[in-house]
Amino acid sequence: DVKVTQSSRYLVKRTGEKVFLECVQDMDHENMFWYRQDPGLGLRLIYFSYDVKMKEKGDIPEGYSVSREKKERFSLILESASTNQTSMYLCASSLTDTLNTEAFFGQGTRLTVV
Amino acid sequence: KNQVEQSPQSLIILEGKNCTLQCNYTVSPFSNLRWYKQDTGRGPVSLTIMTFSENTKSNGRYTATLDADTKQSSLHITASQLSDSASYICVVRVNAGNNRKLIWGLGTSLAVNP
């Protein structure tokens, strides 16, 4: 079974802190994604990566950056956390970018910025 | 504008009853449509994928339909169980050259009561 593991289930951080969310997948998938999920807004794509050291902006990249130094690991970085970044963050991976490929999600990290 | 709308927003049913969730989309060009189940506090898990040529597909007690002409999909749950309580999210894939994107619905929250 594919496993996508996010380093934390719950995080509480202070405004202005630099926050790192880590995601690891164990199935040698090429593509990795970071989403945030908010009530009434659904899932929104922050960044994705289709190869090591490659990244592309999603729909809401402002205030975030990412790092993919190894194929299995994709990190989301909040440069200076703000209260409007309080959200559920979901990491996902998929084997390729072909049409019917399935994205597998981690269990999510609920981040609260105070 | 590419949009995916789901109805109802929430639904409460008794254990053992059937229900149908709806997904309407205005996405072009359409590539495929996938239904995810998301348990509370967890990441989404794929239930089924529908491509343009498919009308009906079953996965155990879940049956998805697709009408590409009217741009509607439904997810029918038969003989509901308490474990079916979750959010069900419809996502449609756009694929046009370099524009490969997922359009997410907001989900239907289903509660199955004993």
Side-chain angles (χ1 to χ4, degrees):
Chain A
D1 279 354
V2 174
K3 192 160 187 183
V4 179
T5 303
Q6 295 182 229
S7 54
S8 304
R9 290 292 306 273
Y10 301 95
L11 273 180
V12 180
K13 296 292 182 180
R14 294 195 179 278
T15 301
E17 274 193 78
K18 190 168 187 176
V19 181
F20 293 85
L21 302 184
E22 305 287 345
C23 176
V24 177
Q25 51 95 1
D26 66 357
M27 286 301 291
D28 203 34
H29 283 179
E30 295 178 2
N31 301 312
M32 297 189 74
F33 310 83
W34 275 106
Y35 291 88
R36 63 178 284 178
Q37 184 176 30
D38 301 288
L41 296 176
L43 271 80
R44 292 180 292 167
L45 182 64
I46 304 171
Y47 267 97
F48 68 99
S49 168
Y50 52 88
D51 202 352
V52 176
K53 296 191 185 294
M54 305 301 288
K55 61 184 178 183
E56 286 200 26
K57 293 180 180 178
D59 298 319
I60 51 163
E62 295 79 16
Y64 304 94
S65 62
V66 291
S67 172
R68 194 169 182 197
E69 296 296 319
K70 294 184 178 181
K71 191 173 186 179
E72 67 270 20
R73 187 179 298 269
F74 193 35
S75 303
L76 179 70
I77 304 155
L78 286 65
E79 298 291 342
S80 178
S82 64
T83 55
N84 64 14
Q85 292 179 309
T86 292
S87 186
M88 169 72 110
Y89 289 88
L90 291 164
C91 174
S93 73
S94 66
L95 180 60
T96 67
D97 197 29
T98 54
L99 294 179
N100 295 343
T101 191
E102 177 182 347
F104 295 86
F105 284 84
Q107 77 277 27
T109 296
R110 185 163 294 281
L111 173 68
T112 302
V113 182
V114 298
Chain B
K1 182 181 178 185
N2 290 324
Q3 279 188 314
V4 174
E5 294 184 351
Q6 293 188 242
S7 61
Q9 186 175 2
S10 62
L11 182 63
I12 302 173
I13 62 173
L14 292 176
E15 186 178 12
K17 298 296 186 182
N18 303 334
C19 67
T20 299
L21 315 180
Q22 298 288 344
C23 175
N24 297 339
Y25 60 93
T26 53
V27 171
S28 182
F30 174 87
S31 178
N32 59 55
L33 182 149
R34 193 182 289 273
W35 284 94
Y36 281 89
K37 177 187 179 189
Q38 185 176 21
D39 293 319
T40 301
R42 313 293 293 184
V45 175
S46 177
L47 292 174
T48 189
I49 181 172
M50 305 295 289
T51 58
F52 189 85
S53 59
E54 293 174 311
N55 298 119
T56 304
K57 186 181 285 185
S58 291
N59 176 6
R61 295 181 296 102
Y62 300 102
T63 299
T65 66
L66 176 67
D67 185 333
D69 291 331
T70 61
K71 298 188 176 182
Q72 295 180 329
S73 176
S74 66
L75 181 70
H76 185 75
I77 304 174
T78 304
S80 61
Q81 299 176 358
L82 298 179
S83 59
D84 292 331
S85 295
S87 180
Y88 292 83
I89 306 172
C90 170
V91 55
V92 179
R93 183 164 183 143
V94 177
N95 191 65
N98 289 329
N99 180 20
R100 293 171 290 181
K101 189 169 181 171
L102 295 176
I103 311 297
W104 294 81
L106 297 184
T108 291
S109 178
L110 173 66
V112 180
N113 290 341

